C-alpha cells in the first residue's frame, strides 16, 4: 500500500496525535476532527498548541463532527481520504461492551469518505478487539467484535499491528471515562481495514462446445459459474495451482520428459465417455443440452483456440500429432453405470480428465510406448517412428493433461465442486516397479511439505492433513502388452497448492480480489506462507429445518445452498431426521456454517443468504420450511 496522501482523524481528544502526524509527515494532508465544540476541546490540556501546530503545518481542524454521521459534515462532503483513523473509540464514562460495539458499527457504516483503495485504522486497547491478535483474548461476547462490526460496512481486517504511540512526538493519550486523564495503552493494537469486493450473484452460464463432432449448447449450473473459463493454468499465469503444476513437472524432469496436451478440450463428456472412468462415485453434474448441431466436425473445436501449458520442463505437444495405431494399449479397465437416455440427460461435466486423456492416447499410443521399444517400429506405410531413449530401464516420456474438473460433492471444509487436476501417464515394463519409482520421486518432492504416501489396494495415495486425499498413483493393464503396464498419477492441484502455500481456504484460489494473486506475482516457491488480506473472519452458523417428500435429493440441496449463499457456506452438517409415521414426509435439520476468507461476511449478510436458501428450497425443491 503506497503512503497516504490524505488522512482523516476522528474522535480526537487533545489533538496530540494529529499534531504529531502533521509534524512528522508534512507531505500528508491532515484533517483532524472531534465531537466537542471548539470551546470544549480547548479545555483539554495542550489542545490549543496542538491545534495550532496542525494548522501551521497546513492541516485542517473541524469541530462538532459525529464520526457515526460523517456524511452530514459539510466540509467532508465530496472528499475522499486515503486513511481514516479512529484512536481508542469509546462511548464515554462506564458504557458497556454493547454500546461500544454499536459505536464501531455505526462508525464503519459512516466511512463513505474512504478512497477506493484506502484503509481504516482503529486503535483499541488490548482485549477489546476480540481477535486472536489480542493476548489474552477475551470471550467473544465480552469483546467489541471489531472485525464483525467492520464487515457490516463491507470492510475486511487486513492487518493488525502494535500501537506505537511512543514514536509520535508529544503524543499524550487522554479521555479516561470522558475526563482529561490518561489510560494504559500498553499492548494496544491498530486494526487496519480495507474494502471487500462486492458479492456477485451466481447465474446460469451459457456455453457452446464441440463434443465428439457435435456442437452442443448448454447452461452450466449457477453454483459453478465462477469456476469456468478462469484460465488459471495458462502459460503466463502466476496462480498457485499453476505454480504447483510447474513445480511438479520440474521435479519430475530429471527422470522423465513430459509432453502436455495443448488442445482445447470440452468440459462436457458423453455418457459413453464417462463409462471409461469409474472413480467418481456418482458425483457427476448431469447436463441437459439446449441444442445440438450435428453438422460440426472436430476441427471446429480446435479452431476455438488452445490453452497452452508452457511449463519450463514440459514439451508442449498438440494432440493433432496424437494420431495413429495402437489404441488398444490404453483402454480403461473399469466402467460406470450411466443413464444416457433417462431424465438426467446424455452429457456430464467432466468429473475427471482421465476419459479425455485415454481417448487421446488411444489415437496414437506410439508416443507412450516408443521409449520401451528395443527398436523403431514401422507402420503399414513403412515409416520409421523415432525411438525415445530409456531412463534406468523405464520410458523417458510421460504424457500429461491438466484442467478444471467438476464434482457434485457434499459441502464440507475440503470438498470443492471444481478443482484443477493434473494427470500424468506413462507405459513401463512390468518388472521395473514404476509405482515405486513414482512414489519415491513424489515423496522426495512433497514429503518435506507434509505429504505422506500410503500404499492402498490398487496403488498409492497421497495424503496430507487436514485436507486428506491429494492424489493417487495407480496402474492399468495394457491390452495385448503383457510385458507392460500403464501408470497414471492424478493430483488435485488446488489442495496441494493450499498445503504448499499455507492457504487457509481452497475458495481463495477462485478469488477475484487482485490482492490474492499479487502475492504470487514473483513466482513464490512452495513452502512460502500466504499472507491473508482478510484476517480472522468469523464463522456464523444458522440451522434450517424443513419437511420434504420421498423424492428428496440431497445433492440438489447442496447445489441450492452453494448458489443461494454465494459460496460462503463452508460446511453443512445433518443434525437430525424424523420420518412421520402416518405421512410420506421426512423432516431434516441441517446446520449451515457461513465463513469467508475472500469477502466481508457480516451477521446481517449471512442472515440474508440464509433467508435466500430458504426461499430457493421452497420454490425449487417444494420443501416446507419449519
Amino acid at each position: 500500500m503506497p503512503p497516504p496522501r490524505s488522512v482523516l482523524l476522528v474522535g480526537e481528544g487533545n489533538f496530540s496525535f494529529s499534531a504529531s502526524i502533521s509534524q512528522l509527515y508534512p507531505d500528508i494532508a491532515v484533517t483532524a476532527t472531534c465531537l466537542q465544540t471548539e470551546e470544549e476541546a480547548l479545555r483539554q490540556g495542550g489542545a490549543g498548541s496542538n491545534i495550532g501546530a496542525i494548522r501551521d503545518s497546513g492541516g485542517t481542524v473541524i469541530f462538532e463532527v459525529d464520526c457515526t454521521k460523517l456524511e452530514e459534515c459539510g466540509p467532508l462532503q465530496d472528499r475522499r481520504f486515503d486513511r481514516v483513523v479512529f484512536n481508542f473509540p469509546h462511548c464515554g464514562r462506564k458504557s458497556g461492551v454493547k454500546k461500544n460495539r454499536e459505536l464501531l458499527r455505526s462508525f464503519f457504516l459512516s466511512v463513505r469518505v474512504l478512497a477506493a483503495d484506502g484503509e481504516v485504522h482503529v486503535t483499541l486497547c488490548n482485549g477489546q478487539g476480540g481477535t486472536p491478535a489480542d493476548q489474552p483474548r477475551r470471550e467473544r461476547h465480552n469483546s467489541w467484535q471489531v472485525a464483525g462490526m467492520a464487515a457490516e460496512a463491507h470492510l475486511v481486517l487486513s492487518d493488525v499491528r502494535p500501537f506505537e504511540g511512543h514514536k509520535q512526538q508529544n503524543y499524550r493519550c487522554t479521555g479516561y471515562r470522558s475526563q482529561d486523564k490518561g489510560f494504559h495503552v500498553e499492548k494496544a493494537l491498530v486494526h487496519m481495514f480495507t474494502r471487500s469486493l462486492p458479492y456477485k450473484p451466481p447465474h446460469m452460464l451459457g456455453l457452446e462446445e464441440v463434443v465428439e463432432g457435435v456442437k452442443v449448447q448448454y447452461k452450466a449450473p449457477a453454483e459453478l459459474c465462477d469456476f469456468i473459463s478462469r484460465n488459471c493454468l495458462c502459460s503466463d499465469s502466476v496462480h498457485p495451482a499453476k505454480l504447483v503444476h510447474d513445480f511438479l513437472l520440474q521435479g519430475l524432469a530429471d527422470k522423465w520428459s513430459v509432453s502436455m496436451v495443448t488442445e482445447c478440450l470440452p468440459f462436457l463428456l458423453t455418457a459413453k465417455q464417462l463409462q471409461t472412468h469409474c472413480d467418481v462415485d456418482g458425483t457427476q453434474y448431469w447436463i441437459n443440452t439446449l441444442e445440438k448441431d450435428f453438422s460440426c466436425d472436430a476441427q471446429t473445436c480446435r479452431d476455438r483456440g488452445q490453452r497452452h501449458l508452457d511449463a519450463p520442463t514440459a514439451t508442449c505437444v498438440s494432440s493433432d500429432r496424437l494420431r495413429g495405431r495402437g489404441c488398444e494399449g490404453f483402454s480403461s479397465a473399469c466402467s460406470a453405470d450411466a443413464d444416457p437416455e433417462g431424465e438426467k440427460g446424455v452429457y456430464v461435466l467432466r468429473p475427471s480428465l482421465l476419459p479425455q486423456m485415454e481417448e487421446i492416447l488411444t489415437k496414437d499410443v506410439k508416443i507412450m510406448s516408443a521409449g520401451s521399444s528395443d527398436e523403431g517400429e514401422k507402420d503399414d506405410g513403412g515409416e520409421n517412428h523415432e525411438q525415445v531413449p530409456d531412463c534406468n530401464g523405464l520410458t523417458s516420456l510421460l504424457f500429461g493433461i491438466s484442467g478444471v474438473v467438476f464434482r457434485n460433492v457434499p459441502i464440507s471444509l475440503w470438498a470443492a465442486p471444481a478443482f484443477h487436476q493434473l494427470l500424468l501417464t506413462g507405459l513401463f515394463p512390468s518388472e521395473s516397479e514404476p509405482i515405486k519409482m513414482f512414489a519415491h520421486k513424489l515423496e522426495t518432492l512433497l514429503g518435506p511439505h507434509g505429504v505422506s504416501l500410503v500404499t492402498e489396494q490398487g496403488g498409492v495415495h497421497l495424503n496430507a492433513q487436514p485436507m486428506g486425499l491429494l492424489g493417487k498413483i495407480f496402474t492399468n493393464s495394457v491390452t495385448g502388452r503383457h510385458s507392460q503396464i500403464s501408470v497414471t498419477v492424478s493430483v488435485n492441484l488446488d489442495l496441494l497448492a493450499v498445503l504448499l502455500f499455507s492457504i487457509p481456504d481452497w475458495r481463495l484460489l477462485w478469488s477475484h480480489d487482485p490482492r490474492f494473486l499479487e502475492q504470487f506475482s514473483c513466482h513464490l516457491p512452495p513452502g512460502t506462507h500466504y499472507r491473508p488480506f482478510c484476517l480472522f473472519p468469523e464463522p456464523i452458523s444458522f440451522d434450517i429445518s424443513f419437511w420434504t417428500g420421498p423424492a428428496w435429493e440431497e445433492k440438489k440441496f447442496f447445489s441450492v445452498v452453494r448458489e443461494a449463499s454465494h459460496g460462503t457456506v463452508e460446511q453443512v452438517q445433518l443434525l437430525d431426521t424424523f420420518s412421520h409415521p402416518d405421512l410420506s414426509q421426512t423432516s431434516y435439520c441441517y446446520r449451515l456454517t457461513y465463513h469467508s476468507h475472500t469477502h466481508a461476511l457480516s451477521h446481517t449478510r449471512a442472515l440474508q443468504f440464509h433467508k435466500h436458501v430458504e426461499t430457493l428450497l421452497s420454490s425449487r425443491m417444494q420443501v416446507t420450511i419449519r
Side-chain angles (χ1 to χ4, degrees):
M1 181 71 69
R5 298 178 299 276
S6 58
V7 176
L8 170 66
L9 298 103
V10 302
E12 284 290 271
N14 57 19
F15 290 92
S16 61
F17 188 86
S18 300
S20 299
I21 295 296
S22 298
Q23 293 170 342
L24 287 173
Y25 307 102
D27 294 335
I28 297 177
V30 173
T31 301
T33 70
C34 70
L35 181 62
Q36 294 79 19
T37 64
E38 183 173 4
E39 180 181 355
E40 292 171 333
L42 290 173
R43 294 174 188 166
Q44 301 272 357
S49 60
N50 291 329
I51 292 172
I54 295 170
R55 288 171 172 167
D56 291 343
S57 300
T60 303
V61 179
I62 308 174
F63 302 97
E64 300 182 68
V65 176
D66 186 343
C67 68
T68 67
K69 299 177 181 178
L70 294 175
E71 68 279 1
E72 297 180 5
C73 178
L76 297 180
Q77 291 181 358
D78 301 324
R79 293 191 63 184
R80 293 295 179 266
F81 297 89
D82 300 315
R83 300 285 189 278
V84 178
V85 179
F86 196 175
N87 287 326
F88 302 106
H90 201 277
C91 289
R93 301 193 181 278
K94 290 187 178 182
S95 54
V97 169
K98 290 185 177 179
K99 286 186 177 180
N100 286 302
R101 197 182 293 161
E102 182 57 32
L103 169 64
L104 286 178
R105 178 180 180 275
S106 300
F107 161 67
F108 285 125
L109 288 170
S110 178
V111 186
R112 299 174 184 174
V113 296
L114 184 68
D117 58 349
E119 294 181 356
V120 179
H121 291 193
V122 176
T123 306
L124 299 175
C125 293
N126 184 42
Q128 291 177 336
T131 73
D134 291 300
Q135 296 298 327
R137 184 182 182 184
R138 295 183 188 177
E139 294 182 355
R140 184 177 183 276
H141 71 274
N142 196 32
S143 75
W144 294 11
Q145 301 174 15
V146 63
M149 296 304 102
E152 297 287 346
H154 314 297
L155 298 170
V156 294
L157 180 61
S158 296
D159 201 1
V160 181
R161 297 178 184 175
F163 175 68
E164 298 176 329
H166 62 280
K167 293 185 177 181
Q168 307 301 325
Q169 184 180 7
N170 300 323
Y171 170 69
R172 183 177 70 87
C173 64
T174 185
Y176 175 70
R177 293 189 176 179
S178 302
Q179 305 174 65
D180 189 12
K181 294 183 179 180
F183 50 89
H184 295 291
V185 296
E186 293 81 5
K187 296 184 179 181
L189 298 173
V190 182
H191 302 78
M192 304 178 181
F193 298 90
T194 56
R195 293 189 186 277
S196 166
L197 289 184
Y199 287 96
K200 293 184 178 180
H203 59 279
M204 298 283 283
L205 189 63
L207 298 171
E208 179 181 283
E209 294 184 315
V210 175
V211 185
E212 293 194 327
V214 178
K215 184 185 293 184
V216 180
Q217 295 179 354
Y218 66 99
K219 288 188 176 181
E223 73 266 25
L224 299 180
C225 69
D226 215 28
F227 302 108
I228 293 177
S229 300
R230 294 292 297 273
N231 296 324
C232 297
L233 298 181
C234 63
S235 60
D236 58 348
S237 172
V238 294
H239 191 276
K242 179 61 162 61
L243 299 182
V244 171
H245 174 280
D246 293 350
F247 169 71
L248 290 175
L249 295 186
Q250 289 169 359
L252 297 173
D254 61 349
K255 193 168 291 293
W256 302 284
S257 297
V258 182
S259 291
M260 298 297 295
V261 69
T262 61
E263 184 178 354
C264 178
L265 300 174
F267 293 126
L268 284 188
L269 298 177
T270 65
K272 182 179 179 181
Q273 288 175 303
L274 185 68
Q275 290 175 355
T276 66
H277 185 59
C278 63
D279 193 27
V280 292
D281 300 326
T283 57
Q284 305 92 339
Y285 277 100
W286 289 93
I287 297 296
N288 289 311
T289 59
L290 300 177
E291 182 180 336
K292 298 180 184 179
D293 182 357
F294 292 90
S295 63
C296 182
D297 58 26
Q299 182 65 34
T300 308
C301 180
R302 293 191 292 272
D303 291 342
R304 290 171 52 211
Q306 294 181 328
R307 294 192 289 258
H308 292 278
L309 302 175
D310 299 324
T313 58
T315 303
C316 294
V317 181
S318 171
S319 60
D320 286 342
R321 290 172 51 189
L322 305 179
R323 299 289 184 266
R325 57 187 179 81
C327 62
E328 73 281 356
F330 286 87
S331 59
S332 176
C334 58
S335 62
D337 292 334
D339 180 21
E341 300 301 332
E343 60 182 13
K344 291 182 178 178
V346 296
Y347 294 97
V348 297
L349 290 174
R350 61 189 187 198
S352 171
L353 297 174
L354 189 57
Q356 291 174 320
M357 182 170 72
E358 291 182 344
E359 194 170 82
I360 292 174
L361 290 176
T362 57
K363 296 174 182 177
D364 194 347
V365 76
K366 72 174 186 298
I367 290 183
M368 302 300 301
S369 59
S372 58
S373 301
D374 293 331
E375 58 184 14
E377 297 181 359
K378 292 186 178 182
D379 61 16
D380 293 337
E383 180 182 350
N384 285 318
H385 294 303
E386 182 181 355
Q387 183 179 351
V388 181
D390 288 349
C391 179
N392 296 330
L394 303 179
T395 178
S396 61
L397 180 63
L398 297 177
F399 178 83
I401 188 172
S402 57
V404 181
V405 297
F406 308 90
R407 298 192 181 179
N408 193 355
V409 293
I411 298 176
S412 62
L413 289 174
W414 301 108
F419 62 90
H420 296 95
Q421 184 183 44
L422 171 66
L423 289 182
L424 298 171
T425 292
L427 275 180
F428 302 90
S430 303
E431 68 277 4
S432 63
E433 297 184 322
I435 283 191
K436 288 186 178 181
M437 290 285 292
F438 270 111
H440 176 73
K441 190 61 180 177
L442 290 175
E443 189 170 30
T444 302
L445 290 172
L446 303 177
H449 302 284
V451 178
S452 60
L453 279 74
V454 180
T455 301
E456 301 282 350
Q457 184 177 4
V460 175
H461 286 190
L462 282 67
N463 298 325
Q465 296 300 323
M467 55 279 300
L469 183 65
L470 302 180
K472 297 179 181 179
I473 309 172
F474 56 93
T475 64
N476 286 326
S477 61
V478 182
T479 304
R481 296 174 182 264
H482 301 294
S483 62
Q484 293 180 327
I485 57 174
S486 166
V487 177
T488 299
V489 179
S490 171
V491 178
N492 185 326
L493 293 174
D494 289 12
L495 290 185
L496 194 54
V498 165
L499 178 69
L500 268 55
F501 293 106
S502 301
I503 299 173
D505 189 334
W506 63 265
R507 292 173 295 179
L508 275 162
L509 298 172
W510 302 95
S511 172
H512 291 274
D513 197 307
R515 290 173 290 186
F516 177 72
L517 285 184
E518 281 174 1
Q519 295 189 37
F520 302 93
S521 60
C522 57
H523 294 80
L524 294 178
T528 306
H529 283 240
Y530 161 76
R531 292 177 283 99
F533 61 84
C534 178
L535 288 172
F536 315 131
E538 297 182 352
I540 303 168
S541 295
F542 296 111
D543 293 349
I544 185 170
S545 300
F546 48 83
W547 288 101
T548 184
W552 167 252
E553 291 188 52
E554 194 173 47
K555 286 184 182 180
K556 292 183 179 180
F557 169 66
F558 293 134
S559 294
V560 168
V561 170
R562 285 192 176 101
E563 178 182 346
S565 70
H566 293 61
T568 58
V569 172
E570 73 171 7
Q571 193 161 16
V572 174
Q573 296 172 280
L574 177 62
L575 301 181
D576 192 22
T577 61
F578 171 73
S579 296
H580 197 284
D582 300 322
L583 303 175
S584 298
Q585 287 191 323
T586 301
S587 172
Y588 293 89
C589 179
Y590 289 91
R591 175 160 296 163
L592 277 57
T593 301
Y594 296 79
H595 197 200
S596 177
H597 287 84
T598 61
H599 293 77
L601 182 63
S602 65
H603 186 277
T604 302
R605 178 57 64 92
L607 184 58
Q608 291 174 350
F609 288 158
H610 195 70
K611 293 298 182 183
H612 192 35
V613 170
E614 294 180 343
T615 300
L616 286 189
L617 283 176
S618 299
S619 62
R620 293 186 183 179
M621 301 189 69
Q622 289 75 51
V623 305
T624 302
I625 304 296
R626 297 179 61 185

